[in-house]
């Protein structure tokens, strides 16, 4: 029954479309639409017929009832593409991408993200262990130097997305580990390691001990009574790396400086008098070296003996 009603409605829709196409084709006379005999139909068919007859005569795109749109494929409007934020790489040139022990753990090959590769001695890594130095960057003990030959590198691996390297040593059946910063390894490798496959090397090897301010120290001139004393603000020194570099160079040449705004100690006893200065120095260069028999890392100035 429903199929027959749908067929009758389709015939009516085609006749309606043919009558609307005549004016568009340029016909001289417009045919008068013939009345359609009323037929007995269900309420659903009457509703469909109402939607068909309600279509505007001048419209070239008739409105289809929902029942006729079922199963039809309609073109979809294009969806505008939104820009996709691509993640930026956080890999730095000094990051480790590969490392491995060779020659039974006597050497270690380091490969960095800037494609530089170096071969360093395992004994040098053990001697440079962060556990061998104190807060003032001095060695806590020199006794381990005589035991370096007993150690071999058991395993190495990059950690922290290449920012660090985990080294595991083995000696007399015992194992322990150290963690090295990749930035530190990348800085020292050209000086203490063997460059592989054309990796850059240091212009001059390190010999003995020295200072980054050595050349400035050789050119320094003594200051006299007419010296114009350089001045620094304590707060700026504690926060600015550029100010700290300038201060360290000033302490070499001319060798004197005035720091203002250091602050006052809470108490004037020996153990507290120099605390503001000690705290400021710690932020600039690190912990002051302390003599074993002295109670403080700074001296105490007195007006009388």
């Amino acid at each position: 029954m429903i199929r027959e009603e749908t067929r009758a409605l389709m015939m009516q829709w085609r006749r309606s479309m043919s009558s609307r196409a005549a004016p568009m084709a340029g016909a001289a006379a417009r045919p008068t639409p013939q009345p359609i005999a009323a037929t007995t139909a269900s309420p659903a068919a009457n509703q469909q017929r109402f939607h068909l007859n309600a279509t505007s005569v001048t419209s070239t795109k008739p409105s289809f009832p929902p029942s006729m749109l079922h199963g039809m494929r309609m073109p979809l409007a294009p969806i505008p593409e939104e820009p996709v934020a691509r993640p930026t790489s956080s890999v730095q040139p000094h990051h480790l991408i590969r490392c491995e022990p060779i020659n039974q753990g006597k050497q270690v090959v380091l490969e960095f993200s800037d494609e530089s590769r170096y071969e360093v001695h395992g004994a040098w890594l053990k001697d440079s262990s962060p556990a061998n130095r104190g807060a003032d960057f001095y060695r806590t003990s020199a006794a381990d130097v005589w035991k370096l030959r007993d150690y071999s590198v058991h395993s190495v691996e990059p950690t922290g997305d290449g920012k660090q390297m985990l080294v595991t040593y083995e000696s007399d059946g015992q194992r322990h580990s150290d963690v090295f910063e990749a930035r530190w390894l990348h800085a020292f490798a050209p000086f203490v390691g063997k460059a592989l496959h054309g990796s850059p090397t240091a212009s001059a090897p390190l010999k003995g001990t020295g200072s980054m301010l050595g050349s400035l120290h050789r050119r320094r001139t003594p200051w006299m009574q007419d010296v114009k004393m350089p001045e620094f603000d304590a707060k700026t020194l504690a926060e600015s790396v550029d100010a700290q570099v300038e201060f360290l160079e000033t302490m070499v040449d001319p060798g004197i400086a005035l720091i203002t705004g250091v602050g006052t100690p809470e108490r004037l006893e020996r153990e507290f008098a120099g605390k503001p200065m000690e705290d400021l120095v710690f932020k600039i260069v690190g912990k002051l070296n302390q003599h074993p028999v002295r109670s403080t890392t700074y001296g105490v100035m007195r007006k009388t003996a």
Side-chain angles (χ1 to χ4, degrees):
M1 179 66 180
I2 297 178
R3 183 175 300 177
E4 293 296 328
E5 292 177 354
T6 303
R7 184 180 294 109
L9 290 173
M10 287 296 297
M11 294 298 296
Q12 181 182 359
W13 173 73
R14 289 176 181 175
R15 286 193 296 269
S16 176
M17 288 296 296
S18 61
S19 63
R20 293 165 189 163
M24 301 176 59
R30 180 178 177 181
T32 303
Q34 299 293 328
I36 301 175
T39 58
T40 304
S42 65
N46 291 332
Q47 184 179 9
Q48 293 178 353
R49 185 180 297 106
F50 170 79
H51 286 294
L52 287 174
N53 294 335
T55 305
S56 174
V57 177
T58 58
S59 174
T60 59
K61 295 182 180 180
S63 299
F64 298 99
S67 60
M68 296 179 63
L69 294 176
H70 178 70
M72 297 180 63
R73 294 185 178 181
M74 303 296 291
L76 300 178
I79 301 176
E81 295 184 0
E82 297 182 359
V84 179
R86 300 181 180 275
T88 58
S89 176
S90 59
V91 177
Q92 299 296 324
H94 60 268
H95 284 182
L96 275 169
I97 59 175
R98 191 174 69 90
C99 52
E100 61 175 341
I102 60 174
N103 194 17
Q104 299 179 349
K106 294 181 180 179
Q107 287 86 29
V108 174
V109 175
L110 308 175
E111 184 174 349
F112 299 94
S113 59
D114 62 356
E115 300 183 355
S116 60
R117 300 179 73 239
Y118 299 92
E119 179 183 316
V120 299
H121 286 285
W124 173 75
L125 288 172
K126 182 64 179 69
D127 187 49
S128 304
S129 170
N132 291 340
R133 59 173 173 81
D136 55 1
F137 295 99
Y138 275 74
R139 292 186 70 96
T140 55
S141 174
D144 290 339
V145 175
W146 306 107
K147 301 179 182 179
L148 293 177
R149 296 179 181 179
D150 300 334
Y151 289 90
S152 62
V153 177
H154 177 265
S155 63
V156 290
E157 61 175 321
T159 59
D161 296 331
K163 298 178 182 179
Q164 296 175 327
M165 182 180 71
L166 175 64
V167 183
T168 302
Y169 309 97
E170 187 173 15
S171 176
D172 297 330
Q174 301 293 326
R175 295 179 183 178
H176 71 278
S177 302
D178 279 329
V179 177
F180 291 87
E181 295 294 327
R183 184 190 297 271
W184 185 88
L185 293 170
H186 187 266
F188 275 92
F191 294 92
V192 301
K194 176 183 177 182
L196 304 176
H197 305 296
S199 299
T201 58
S203 57
L206 294 178
K207 294 181 179 180
T209 59
S211 171
M212 296 177 61
L213 303 175
S215 59
L216 185 62
H217 185 273
R218 290 188 292 269
R219 299 194 306 267
R220 66 177 180 170
T221 56
W223 55 271
M224 302 296 180
Q225 61 181 4
D226 58 345
V227 65
K228 185 178 180 181
M229 186 179 299
E231 294 187 13
F232 296 88
D233 177 68
K235 187 175 184 301
T236 303
L237 275 178
E239 300 174 352
S240 173
V241 176
D242 293 335
Q244 294 171 8
V245 172
E246 182 182 356
F247 171 75
L248 294 176
E249 293 178 345
T250 300
M251 294 308 297
V252 177
D253 187 17
I256 187 173
L258 174 64
I259 303 179
T260 59
V262 176
T264 57
E266 297 179 359
R267 298 161 59 180
L268 297 179
E269 285 82 354
R270 181 192 300 270
E271 304 296 334
F272 302 94
K275 197 66 169 60
M277 182 197 69
E278 186 180 24
D279 293 342
L280 177 62
V281 172
F282 183 82
K283 296 177 182 178
I284 300 175
V285 297
K287 186 177 183 296
L288 288 170
N289 184 246
Q290 183 171 338
H291 194 277
V293 300
R294 294 179 181 173
S295 59
T296 67
T297 58
Y298 48 85
V300 179
M301 297 181 64
R302 300 180 183 275
K303 294 182 179 180
T304 59

